[in-house]
Amino acid sequence: MDADEATSALIAKMLSEDGGSNPYYDNPYGGAGYEEDEGSDYEFGESKKKKGGAKKAKAPAKPKASKAKAKKEDEDDEDTEELTATGRRKRKDTGQNRKASRAWSDDEEKLFVEALRLHGRNWKEAAAHVGTRDARAFTSHAQKYFIKLCLQGRPLPQKVKESGEGYTLSGKALDPHSAAARAYGFKESTL
């Protein structure tokens, strides 16, 4: 009898004296035996539990859905979400003719410049000041306006400068390679 066989025989003898209830010996690949032991690390990535009083086993937590997905599920439980080939959600107006954008009137333009002077980069308040445009339309117009100011060498309004010197919506420096800047023929030499 070699050493491994002798060790196995000794372990078997000790187990039989102990009642033969060793979850590690009975089920070496996980299962009921492992779940009974509080201090086991049978599952990869699971931390050991602290020793103490007996604790109830918790059911595994369900993964949380993203806010956008949860909102979508709340609104339309019956409709399935359609995705593009790249995995993004499809636009709701796919296949429909979208309304053409309307130009900013002279009155709206005056209110726009006034809103920038009063509210700076607080887009919601600035859009509310204009009254006829939402925050998204306001920021889109502001992005174009800032690039035009930069190309003309004119400074930003003082209230806008308080949140950043850059000619961007965030106040960071304008990237001359960005799509917005390239659309206006912006070059690095302009900075």
Side-chain angles (χ1 to χ4, degrees):
M1 184 185 276
D2 66 346
D4 287 330
E5 290 177 25
T7 304
S8 295
L10 180 60
I11 291 172
K13 181 182 174 194
M14 290 172 67
L15 286 174
S16 65
E17 291 171 0
D18 195 26
S21 61
N22 183 342
Y24 299 104
Y25 185 75
D26 293 336
N27 193 350
Y29 298 109
Y34 280 88
E35 292 169 2
E36 292 172 2
D37 185 21
E38 283 188 24
S40 70
D41 266 347
Y42 74 95
E43 193 172 308
F44 178 76
E46 186 177 20
S47 62
K48 283 190 175 185
K49 297 176 186 172
K50 292 181 181 178
K51 292 188 178 183
K55 295 181 183 178
K56 295 180 181 178
K58 294 181 180 179
K62 294 180 182 178
K64 293 182 179 180
S66 68
K67 289 180 182 179
K69 189 172 182 179
K71 186 176 180 182
K72 174 74 175 168
E73 287 175 2
D74 289 343
E75 291 173 2
D76 299 322
D77 288 338
E78 300 163 26
D79 295 338
T80 57
E81 205 172 72
E82 292 189 43
L83 302 176
T84 64
T86 59
R88 294 181 176 213
R89 283 185 292 157
K90 284 189 177 180
R91 292 179 58 114
K92 290 181 180 178
D93 60 359
T94 301
Q96 300 173 5
N97 291 332
R98 292 175 32 199
K99 285 194 292 184
S101 60
R102 59 184 176 93
W104 285 63
S105 69
D106 291 338
D107 290 338
E108 285 178 321
E109 195 66 40
K110 287 176 188 172
L111 288 170
F112 169 79
V113 174
E114 187 177 289
L116 286 176
R117 280 188 294 126
L118 294 173
H119 304 289
R121 287 188 171 97
N122 187 338
W123 307 122
K124 288 182 182 178
E125 286 183 21
H129 184 82
V130 172
T132 56
R133 303 289 179 142
D134 63 359
R136 189 173 60 173
F138 191 93
T139 55
S140 177
H141 193 62
Q143 183 178 33
K144 297 167 193 169
Y145 180 75
F146 291 164
I147 292 171
K148 288 176 185 175
L149 285 179
C150 187
L151 287 170
Q152 294 168 359
R154 294 173 43 203
L156 291 168
Q158 189 60 39
K159 187 74 175 175
V160 173
K161 279 186 181 179
E162 290 176 8
S163 58
E165 296 280 330
Y167 287 82
T168 60
L169 296 177
S170 65
K172 295 179 181 175
L174 181 63
D175 178 11
H177 302 295
S178 70
R182 281 186 286 128
Y184 288 88
F186 202 87
K187 295 183 175 52
E188 268 187 84
S189 59
T190 310
L191 291 175

